[in-house]
Amino acid sequence: MENFRFIALSETLDRQVVPVSYPSLKISDYYGSMVFNETVMREYLTKEAFQSVKLAIDKGKKIDRKVADQVASAVKAWALSKGATHYSHWFHPLTGTTAEKHDAFINPVSGGKAIEEFQGNELIQQEPDASSFPSGGIRNTFEARGYTAWDPTSPAFILDKTLCIPTIFVSYTGESLDYKTPLLKSVEAIDLAGQKVCQFFDQNITKVYPTLGWEQEYFLVDSALFAARPDLVLAGRTVFGHISAKDQQLHDHYFGIIHSRARAFMSDLEIESHKLGIPLKTRHNEVAPSQFECAPVFEEVNVAVDHNQLLMHLLDVVSRKHHFKVLLHEKPYESVNGSGKHNNWSLATNTGINLLAPGKTPEDNLLFIAILVNVLKALHTYEEVVRASIASASNDLRLGGNEAPPAIISAFIGEQLTATLDAIEMMENHKGLGADSIREKLKGIPKIPEILLDNTDRNRTSPFAFTGNKFEFRAVGSIANCAKPMFVLNTIVAEQFTLFYQEVKSQIDNNVMKEDAIFEVIKQYIKDSKAIRFEGNSYSEEWKIEAAKRGLSNHATTPDALKAFISPKVIALFEKHNVLNKRELEARYEINLDKYIRKLQIESRLISDLSINHIIPTSILYQNTLIENARGLKEVLDQKTYVKLSRNQVQTIKEISEHISEIRQFVEMMTEERRAANRLESEVEKAEAYCYKVKPYFEKVRHHVDKLEQVIDDRLWPLPKYRELMFIK
Ligand code: ADP
Ligand code: MG
C-alpha cells in the first residue's frame, strides 16, 4: 500500500536550495519599476494631467473624463513598454482575498489586424459580473451588477504581464461590497475631524492621514508535505497532530540563522516586492519552528493595505518556486505560537509630523498628549467594535492562546506615559493663565521625549500597545485584510476627535482660554478612559477577572464578537461619519457569519473524513498485526509465560479499540449536530450552533486521534507528523 507521507518525505530529502534570480542591479535601480508611480507619471503625463492626478491623490478632487483618457493612454504606453498584455481592475471583495478579471489590451480592427487599446472609461470603471461575490443580500443575483471604480490614491502596477488598477467595488445601488471603500471613507473622516483638532495647536495643519506599518507573520512548509495533509490543503491548518518532542521550547528559532532554503525564498520575495514598490525592510525567524516575519517601512494606510494584500499574493506565488507553501492561517499547528499581523498605526500631517510622536517643546507635547488621550478614549468607548474588527474563525484559535493577546481589548502605554497622564490628572487648573500656565505645567511633568528612545519599556502581551511613536494593534490575524481593523480604528478616532473639538470649542465660546479648555477636556478624558489602560500581563487569568470588573467586554468567539457591528451605537457611529450605513453593516455582519459557518463546516467535514478514511483504517491495520502477533505468541509460548508477556500487547489492542470507538462515536455526534445546525434558518443561530455545538467535538476527536498517532506503527501513519512539517530539511 502506498503511503503518501513517505512519498512526500522522500521528495523533501532531495530538495536543493532554489537559486535566487538576483537582478544585476542595485535595489534602488529596480525598486518600483513595476509601478505607475509619481516619477513615471511625470514622465508620461502632460503637466495638466499630472496636476489633476496629484490633486486627486492629495485632496480627493475628481478627475474629469478628458484627463482620464490622457492617463489611460499614458498608463497603456507605460504598461506596454514593460511587456504587459492585459489589464485588470484589482479590488478587495469581502471574500477576503483580492479579485482580478483580466482583459487583453488588444482590439481587432479591419484587415484582420488588431491594436492595443485602453481608454479612460476602461480605467475609471468596470462591471465585473459580481453575482458570485458575497454581498450579504444587498444585491439580488439577477440584478448582478457591481461596479469597480478607479482609486487614484493607490498606484497601478504590473503583475505577471497584467496592468492592475486598484479599484473600489460597489453595488449597482451604491453600497460598498469591498474593504477599500469604507477604508477610504474613514481616511476622509479622520482627516476632517483631525484637522480641526490640530488647528487648535497649529494653523498650518491642513491634512491629517493615518499611517500603517504592518508586520506579517507566516509559516513555511515543504510543498510535498503540505500536499500530503488534506487538512492543510482544505482548511489551512492541521486538525490533528501529536505535538513534536521538540518544538519551540529551546527558543532556538526566534531571530536564529535563517535556513538557506527559506533565505532564498525571502530574497526572491523581497526582489518581487521591491519591484512593486512594497518597501519590505525587515525579515527574521519567529518563535515557532518554520515561522517567519517580514515588515515594510510604514506608508499611508490605503497604500499600505494594498501592499499587504499584494504581499500575501506574492508570498504564495514566490513560495511555489521554492517548493514551499506559505501558511497564513493564524494557528496552523496546535501547541506552538500562532501568527498575527501587527498593525502599527499612527497619524501624520501635511506639515510632516507624526502626531503620536512626543514633541520637543511643551506645546508640541500638549498636542501629542491630546492625540494620545483621544485615541485611548476612543478605544475605551468602542472597544467592542475594535474586538469585532479582528474576529474570524481562524483568529479565534489564536486569541487568548499563550502567545497572543486575549479577546479583551486594552491599551498599554508604558510606565513613563502612565506617570505623565497621572500627573496631568492630578494637576490643578489655574484658569486664566493660558499658554503660560500650560507651559509651566508641562515642564513639571515627567519628561516625555525620553520614551521615544526607551524601547525596553514594552509589553508584548497587550493587544494595543503604544511603542514610542505609534500604537501597535497586535490582535489582528495573520490572514486578515488590514483594512477592516484600520477603518474601524480611523472611524472611532474620527468620532472622538469630533467630540473633543466640540467640547473644547464650546468652552472657548464661553470665554474659557483655549489652553485651559484643552487641558480641562484632556483631564476629563484621562479619567473617563482609565479602564482601557492595562500595564500588566494580558495573558493572565487575573486580567480576565479584573477586566470584567472594569466593564470591558470579553468575547471569546466570533459569533459573540461580531454582534458589535450591528449595535445601535456602532451603526450610528458609522452612519455619522459616512463610512458604512446600516444596510451595509447588516450585510457585512451576515457575510461574516456566513464565512464563519462555512469555515467550521469545512473543518468539521474534514475531521469526519480524515478520521473515518485515514485514521481508523490505519489503526485497524496495525491492531490486526498486534492480534496476529499475540496469537503467534500463544502458539509458541507456554500458557504462564504467555499471560505474563502478552499483557502489554493485549492492553494496546484494547486501547486502540477504545480510541476507535470514541472517535466513531464523537464523529457521529458531531455529524448529527452539524445536520441540526444546517437546518437552522437564521444565520446567527447557525453560527452559534457551529460554535457551541459542533466545534467542541473537534478537540474531542483530536484527542483520540493524537493518542493513536503515538501508538500506531510509524511506517503506517498516513499524515506527515508535526516534527516533519515544522522542521525544514
Ligand atoms: P517591532 O515592533 O517588531 O519591534 P518596529 O518597532 O521597528 O518593530 O516597527 C514595526 C513597524 O512599525 C514597522 O513596520 C514600521 O514601519 C512601523 N512604524 C514605525 N513608525 C510608524 C508610524 N509612524 N506609523 C505607522 N507605522 C510605523
Ligand atoms: Mg511589532
Side-chain angles (χ1 to χ4, degrees):
M1 195 180 63
E2 285 195 78
N3 184 324
F4 288 116
R5 176 171 151 238
F6 286 102
I7 297 172
L9 278 170
S10 73
E11 217 173 297
T12 68
L13 290 178
D14 295 335
R15 292 281 188 234
Q16 305 291 323
V17 177
V18 177
V20 181
S21 35
Y22 285 109
S24 56
L25 302 159
K26 297 196 296 291
I27 296 178
S28 57
D29 290 327
Y30 61 82
Y31 186 87
S33 59
M34 288 299 170
V35 186
F36 194 65
N37 54 27
E38 222 176 285
T39 316
V40 185
M41 272 196 258
R42 261 183 222 281
E43 190 185 322
Y44 277 82
L45 289 175
T46 61
K47 233 191 181 134
E48 177 210 2
F50 178 75
Q51 285 308 333
S52 181
V53 175
K54 266 297 270 179
L55 277 175
I57 295 171
D58 297 338
K59 301 246 178 337
K61 290 254 156 47
K62 278 218 158 67
I63 292 177
D64 70 36
R65 200 46 162 251
K66 217 177 86 213
V67 173
D69 277 334
Q70 279 194 37
V71 177
S73 140
V75 83
K76 181 190 79 179
W78 170 76
L80 292 177
S81 81
K82 295 277 176 189
T85 55
H86 287 66
Y87 66 90
S88 171
H89 279 196
W90 183 81
F91 55 103
H92 313 189
L94 296 169
T95 45
T97 52
T98 52
E100 320 162 357
K101 175 179 163 253
H102 298 185
D103 282 308
F105 281 119
I106 218 80
N107 227 353
V109 289
S110 59
K113 303 279 276 180
I115 54 164
E116 275 91 9
E117 238 181 37
F118 185 57
Q119 288 171 350
N121 55 350
E122 287 157 321
L123 168 71
I124 293 178
Q125 201 174 72
Q126 275 192 349
E127 287 180 40
D129 176 10
S131 49
S132 297
F133 290 116
S135 70
I138 279 182
R139 195 174 12 72
N140 288 327
T141 33
F142 43 85
E143 55 161 8
R145 282 273 168 90
Y147 288 95
T148 53
W150 180 31
D151 164 25
T153 61
S154 181
F157 54 89
I158 296 170
L159 193 65
D160 269 347
K161 287 182 172 286
T162 301
L163 168 70
C164 296
I165 300 147
T167 59
I168 58 165
F169 181 40
V170 291
S171 77
Y172 186 57
T173 42
E175 280 100 355
S176 60
L177 298 175
D178 67 346
Y179 285 100
K180 194 191 261 277
T181 310
L183 177 68
L184 290 174
K185 288 178 169 179
S186 76
V187 168
E188 205 178 314
I190 203 167
D191 182 20
L192 288 176
Q195 279 177 36
K196 283 176 143 182
V197 169
C198 288
Q199 285 179 12
F200 282 140
F201 301 86
D202 181 355
Q203 293 285 331
N204 295 319
I205 296 179
T206 54
K207 186 181 163 106
V208 170
Y209 61 94
T211 50
L212 164 65
W214 40 262
E215 299 163 59
Q216 177 74 55
E217 292 179 343
Y218 61 91
F219 280 85
L220 285 177
V221 60
D222 189 279
S223 52
L225 296 172
F226 172 84
R229 290 281 316 209
D231 46 0
L232 283 181
V233 174
L234 298 187
R237 77 168 178 112
T238 53
V239 293
F240 303 143
H242 191 269
I243 61 169
S244 171
K246 171 186 185 291
D247 47 45
Q248 63 187 42
Q249 65 271 60
L250 299 178
H251 303 287
D252 50 354
H253 190 254
Y254 191 48
F255 279 57
I257 294 168
I258 302 172
H259 188 284
S260 52
R261 273 185 69 201
R263 201 167 57 217
F265 155 72
M266 287 179 188
S267 298
D268 260 333
L269 176 74
E270 282 166 7
I271 292 164
E272 292 312 314
S273 299
H274 289 156
K275 283 188 202 161
L276 286 164
I278 305 170
L280 273 196
K281 192 155 172 82
T282 314
R283 62 182 186 198
H284 61 78
N285 286 0
E286 261 303 327
V287 173
S290 74
Q291 190 188 26
F292 305 91
E293 179 186 298
C294 64
V297 176
F298 69 93
E299 301 174 281
E300 182 279 318
V301 66
N302 180 36
V303 175
V305 167
D306 278 1
H307 279 166
N308 182 247
Q309 288 297 112
L310 206 45
L311 179 99
M312 290 196 283
H313 174 75
L314 290 179
L315 279 171
D316 188 51
V317 175
V318 178
S319 65
R320 283 164 203 259
K321 178 182 155 195
H322 291 265
H323 309 294
F324 281 128
K325 191 68 194 161
V326 165
L327 306 178
L328 285 173
H329 192 288
E330 282 79 358
K331 197 77 181 174
Y333 307 114
E334 208 169 75
S335 82
V336 298
N337 281 15
S339 300
K341 174 148 54 198
H342 299 173
N343 278 207
N344 295 273
W345 174 91
S346 191
L347 291 170
T349 68
N350 61 304
T351 56
I353 61 164
N354 173 359
L355 290 171
L356 282 172
K360 292 201 170 57
T361 64
E363 287 82 355
D364 289 348
N365 273 338
L366 188 62
L367 171 58
F368 159 68
I369 286 165
I371 302 295
L372 179 89
V373 169
N374 269 286
V375 175
L376 294 173
K377 179 83 161 69
L379 196 68
H380 181 239
T381 312
Y382 292 106
E383 45 95 10
E384 276 195 286
V385 70
V386 172
R387 160 67 182 103
S389 77
I390 49 149
S392 70
S394 50
N395 210 19
D396 278 359
L397 295 169
R398 165 180 168 260
L399 295 180
N402 276 329
E403 78 289 3
I408 308 162
I409 298 295
S410 67
F412 166 87
I413 58 170
E415 217 174 289
Q416 280 163 297
L417 268 184
T418 303
T420 305
L421 297 196
D422 287 348
I424 294 175
E425 194 188 335
M426 301 310 289
M427 262 176 204
E428 273 189 50
N429 202 1
H430 300 294
K431 285 192 177 151
L433 292 175
D436 285 342
S437 107
I438 298 296
R439 214 163 290 137
E440 274 311 304
K441 274 183 199 142
L442 289 174
K443 266 189 214 150
I445 58 183
K447 281 203 200 78
I448 301 169
E450 279 175 16
I451 58 163
L452 240 188
L453 307 169
D454 183 11
N455 264 332
T456 54
D457 190 17
R458 286 205 162 188
N459 180 334
R460 297 205 172 266
T461 69
S462 175
F464 199 81
F466 186 75
T467 50
N469 58 356
K470 61 193 182 286
F471 273 104
E472 185 172 345
F473 190 10
R474 297 207 184 98
V476 183
S478 48
I479 205 169
N481 185 319
C482 305
K484 202 201 285 181
M486 290 295 100
F487 78 66
V488 167
L489 193 54
N490 293 342
T491 309
I492 66 169
V493 175
E495 167 64 2
Q496 190 49 59
F497 281 163
T498 310
L499 296 177
F500 179 76
Y501 173 78
Q502 283 164 356
E503 285 171 68
V504 172
K505 181 75 172 36
S506 84
Q507 289 205 30
I508 295 173
D509 290 347
N510 283 323
N511 296 321
V512 176
M513 291 188 84
K514 185 178 78 182
E515 288 78 5
D516 289 331
I518 291 171
F519 209 76
E520 217 33 60
V521 178
I522 289 177
K523 268 178 75 169
Q524 191 57 45
Y525 282 4
I526 293 174
K527 282 192 195 121
D528 293 348
S529 63
K530 228 175 196 172
I532 202 71
R533 271 155 53 196
F534 181 62
E535 302 288 302
N537 178 5
S538 304
Y539 299 174
S540 67
E541 283 304 308
E542 297 85 74
W543 172 229
K544 283 188 193 157
I545 298 162
E546 165 70 17
K549 278 194 205 142
R550 295 187 188 188
L552 300 176
S553 70
N554 181 5
H555 299 301
T557 68
T558 292
D560 256 12
L562 285 177
K563 291 196 172 98
F565 268 120
I566 49 157
S567 72
K569 173 174 155 182
V570 168
I571 291 174
L573 165 80
F574 281 104
E575 291 208 322
K576 177 174 170 187
H577 293 279
N578 190 30
V579 174
L580 288 168
N581 62 30
K582 185 163 185 261
R583 213 162 117 80
E584 289 169 324
L585 282 161
E586 282 169 351
R588 270 157 210 262
Y589 175 62
E590 212 175 288
I591 290 166
N592 283 321
L593 285 177
D594 188 61
K595 202 193 260 175
Y596 179 83
I597 293 163
R598 285 170 202 262
K599 291 262 174 191
L600 262 63
Q601 190 177 48
I602 291 170
E603 292 192 351
S604 170
R605 286 174 176 166
L606 244 173
I607 289 167
S608 303
D609 286 355
L610 287 178
S611 302
I612 306 300
N613 304 332
H614 287 62
I615 308 303
I616 293 180
T618 305
S619 305
I620 290 174
L621 211 62
Y622 180 57
Q623 195 189 31
N624 283 344
T625 321
L626 293 181
I627 291 169
E628 232 164 82
N629 179 261
R631 269 209 208 100
L633 287 179
K634 200 170 191 177
E635 262 173 43
V636 296
L637 300 174
D638 63 82
Q639 178 65 12
K640 211 170 140 211
T641 324
Y642 171 75
V643 169
K644 193 171 156 222
L645 294 181
S646 69
R647 202 168 293 142
N648 277 340
Q649 194 99 329
V650 175
Q651 185 56 27
T652 309
I653 292 168
K654 263 199 229 157
E655 259 173 44
I656 292 175
S657 280
E658 275 160 17
H659 289 309
I660 289 176
S661 131
E662 293 282 298
I663 290 171
R664 275 221 177 92
Q665 205 180 339
F666 285 139
V667 164
E668 228 166 78
M669 286 154 90
M670 176 172 72
T671 310
E672 269 313 304
E673 289 292 357
R674 203 166 69 220
R675 285 203 187 107
N678 291 343
R679 279 195 296 268
L680 294 170
E681 283 284 317
S682 123
E683 291 286 291
V684 185
E685 283 173 22
K686 207 187 274 186
E688 282 170 353
Y690 265 99
C691 181
Y692 302 113
K693 301 256 173 70
V694 179
K695 196 175 63 167
Y697 286 105
F698 294 8
E699 278 311 304
K700 290 192 165 110
V701 176
R702 180 181 189 136
H703 173 80
H704 293 284
V705 172
D706 291 358
K707 285 268 182 252
L708 283 171
E709 186 184 321
Q710 280 182 295
V711 182
I712 306 301
D713 183 352
D714 184 65
R715 287 171 305 171
L716 297 176
W717 197 254
L719 303 171
K721 297 184 170 181
Y722 269 24
R723 63 165 188 261
E724 294 153 354
L725 294 166
M726 282 197 281
F727 293 91
I728 299 167
K729 250 70 82 215

